[in-house]
């Protein structure tokens, strides 16, 4: 009950901050609060939200993964090569191939963590470098532009022409993002597995004593992130209409900052899909606003650094309070 109350408080604070920033930006730039810009913001944020809900599951389970963005780049290349072998395929085959490769890469992380008892951040730093190194070595940094028509063709869910002649378009990535968000919400909130993930992240030893499988939790969490990374990689290539080896490089820190800012605790056991989405939107709105105001892109990197520091500081403070409360409880007669 206390955990849910804290989560709801975080969500309300984030929502209030987003509203305040949107009001300021709407006054500072007449282009911000337009349908064209808002739809562009939704389309551009879709991939990060897909990554974020996958990372959320790992954080809830008490782990951390910084290799997912590079894994998504690997998925893009392998999927493009596989589709070329089967004559192009379609969205169904593309999602199956990308999702399967992503799950394998996520499961590989889980295997290393469980088998060798290495903390997750160390393992994923290693696989981050392995995946990216192998990708750049075999591709030599060459992009793939010859993709199947279904993959690069623009799919518009809703469009409207504005008075200035510009088109406001809501595209396929937003629909895929909504489905991934719903699937993650259903997993962590309405399944036994979801409750076990929370319990395992909050108290691994207690969860183990209650019969929850450590291996199962790790493989499910990292496998789910791998699945989201695969889907996100496929969607990102669709949005960009090309496969670029380093297009997603560095995005893992933006997503991690947003998810932790959204209320996910680095110590595990807490986090919500709504808070996760709000965290990503806050970061995206700040970036969009700075772009509209003509600010230097380095200013955004600086702000992301501040967000990471604030989010981790708050998370560590919450962990410290949690351990202090538990210590007081054990010391009480």
């Amino acid at each position: 009950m206390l955990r849910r109350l804290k989560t709801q408080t975080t969500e309300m604070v984030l929502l209030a901050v987003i509203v305040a920033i949107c009001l300021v930006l709407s006054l500072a730039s007449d282009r911000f609060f337009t349908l064209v810009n808002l739809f562009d913001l939704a389309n551009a944020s879709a991939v990060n939200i897909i990554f974020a809900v996958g990372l959320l599951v790992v954080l809830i389970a008490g782990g951390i993964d910084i290799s997912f963005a590079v894994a998504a780049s690997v998925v893009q290349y392998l999927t493009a090569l596989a589709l070329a072998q089967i004559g192009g395929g379609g969205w169904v085959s593309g999602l199956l191939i990308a999702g399967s490769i992503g799950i394998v890469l996520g499961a590989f992380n889980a295997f290393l963590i469980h088998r060798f008892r290495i903390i997750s951040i160390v393992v994923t730093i290693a696989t981050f470098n392995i995946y990216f190194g192998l990708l750049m070595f075999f591709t030599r940094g060459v992009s793939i532009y010859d993709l199947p028509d279904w993959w690069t063709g623009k799919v518009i869910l809703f469009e409207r022409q504005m008075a200035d002649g510009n088109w406001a378009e809501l595209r396929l990535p937003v629909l895929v993002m909504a489905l991934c968000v719903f699937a993650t919400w259903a997993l962590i909130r309405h399944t036994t597995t979801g409750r076990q993930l929370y319990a395992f992240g909050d108290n691994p030893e207690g969860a183990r004593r209650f019969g929850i499988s450590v291996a199962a939790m790790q493989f499910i969490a990292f496998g789910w992130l791998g699945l989201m990374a695969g889907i996100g990689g496929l969607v990102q290539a669709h949005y960009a209409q090309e496969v670029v080896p380093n297009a997603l490089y560095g995005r893992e820190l933006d997503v991690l900052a947003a998810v932790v800012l959204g209320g996910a605790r680095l110590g595990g056991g807490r986090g919500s899909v709504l808070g996760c989405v709000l965290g990503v939107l806050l970061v995206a709105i700040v970036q969009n606003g700075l772009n509209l105001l003509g600010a230097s892109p380095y200013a955004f990197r600086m702000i992301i650094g501040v967000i990471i520091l604030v989010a981790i500081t708050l998370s560590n403070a919450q962990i410290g309070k949690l351990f202090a409360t538990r210590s007081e409880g054990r010391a009480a007669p």
Side-chain angles (χ1 to χ4, degrees):
M1 183 66 182
L2 181 60
R3 181 183 66 193
R4 183 164 297 183
L5 181 61
K6 288 183 178 179
T7 299
Q8 291 173 347
T9 302
T10 301
E11 293 167 355
M12 293 301 295
V13 170
L14 273 177
L15 189 58
V17 171
I18 289 173
V19 171
I21 291 176
C22 287
L23 288 175
V24 171
L25 290 175
S26 64
L27 294 174
S29 173
D30 56 0
R31 291 183 297 165
F32 176 77
F33 210 67
T34 63
L35 197 61
V36 173
N37 186 60
L38 294 179
F39 277 12
D40 285 345
L41 187 61
N43 293 326
S45 302
V47 172
N48 276 5
I49 292 177
I50 293 172
F51 288 156
V53 293
L55 181 60
L56 172 67
V57 176
V58 170
L59 291 177
I60 286 173
I64 188 170
D65 189 335
I66 63 168
S67 68
F68 60 88
V70 173
S73 297
V74 173
V75 169
Q76 289 180 344
Y77 260 85
L78 294 180
T79 301
L81 296 176
L83 290 171
Q85 296 297 316
I86 63 174
W91 273 108
V92 174
S93 57
L95 286 169
L96 287 174
I97 294 171
S100 299
I101 297 172
I103 290 173
V104 169
L105 295 177
F108 179 63
N109 282 337
F111 169 76
L112 294 176
I113 293 166
H114 181 71
R115 177 66 178 81
F116 299 105
R117 301 293 191 270
I118 309 173
I119 59 175
S120 57
I121 190 170
V122 173
V123 169
T124 57
I125 287 174
T127 53
F128 170 92
N129 287 284
I130 292 170
Y131 295 159
F132 189 68
L134 288 173
L135 179 64
M136 297 303 291
F137 176 78
F138 285 106
T139 66
R140 300 186 184 277
V142 177
S143 301
I144 300 177
Y145 301 99
D146 186 17
L147 300 174
D149 293 338
W150 62 265
W151 199 354
T152 57
K154 186 185 295 186
V155 180
I156 300 174
L157 305 176
F158 174 82
E159 63 180 353
R160 182 177 178 181
Q161 188 173 21
M162 310 309 293
D164 59 1
N166 291 323
W167 285 89
E169 298 175 343
L170 207 59
R171 302 184 189 176
L172 179 64
V174 176
L175 175 60
V176 178
M177 175 268 292
L179 293 174
C180 291
V181 167
F182 175 79
T184 304
W185 172 78
L187 170 69
I188 65 175
R189 286 299 181 189
H190 294 281
T191 67
T192 301
T193 299
R195 290 188 289 273
Q196 290 176 341
L197 286 167
Y198 275 108
F200 177 72
D202 188 52
N203 187 347
E205 184 58 33
R208 187 183 296 110
R209 291 177 180 177
F210 273 100
I212 296 176
S213 170
V214 174
M217 294 298 98
Q218 290 173 336
F219 276 93
I220 289 171
F222 284 91
W224 187 264
L225 176 54
L227 174 62
M228 294 297 108
I231 294 173
L234 192 74
V235 172
Q236 194 274 337
H238 164 75
Y239 184 73
Q241 299 187 336
E242 60 183 355
V243 172
V244 181
N246 61 350
L248 296 171
Y249 184 89
R251 194 174 292 197
E252 60 282 339
L253 294 182
D254 297 351
V255 174
L256 176 60
V259 177
V260 176
L261 188 65
R265 194 176 66 195
L266 291 178
R270 204 180 82 199
S272 71
V273 170
L274 178 58
C276 171
V277 173
L278 290 175
V280 175
L281 289 179
L282 176 58
V283 173
I285 288 169
V286 170
Q287 182 180 22
N288 179 257
L290 290 175
N291 288 338
L292 291 177
L293 296 176
S296 168
Y298 297 111
F300 174 68
R301 305 311 308 175
M302 179 181 65
I303 290 173
I304 284 295
V306 172
I307 289 174
I308 291 173
L309 284 175
V310 170
I312 292 177
T313 300
L314 292 176
S315 180
N316 286 341
Q318 290 159 358
I319 292 173
K321 290 180 181 178
L322 178 66
F323 280 117
T325 301
R326 287 178 178 174
S327 298
E328 290 172 2
R330 284 194 295 267

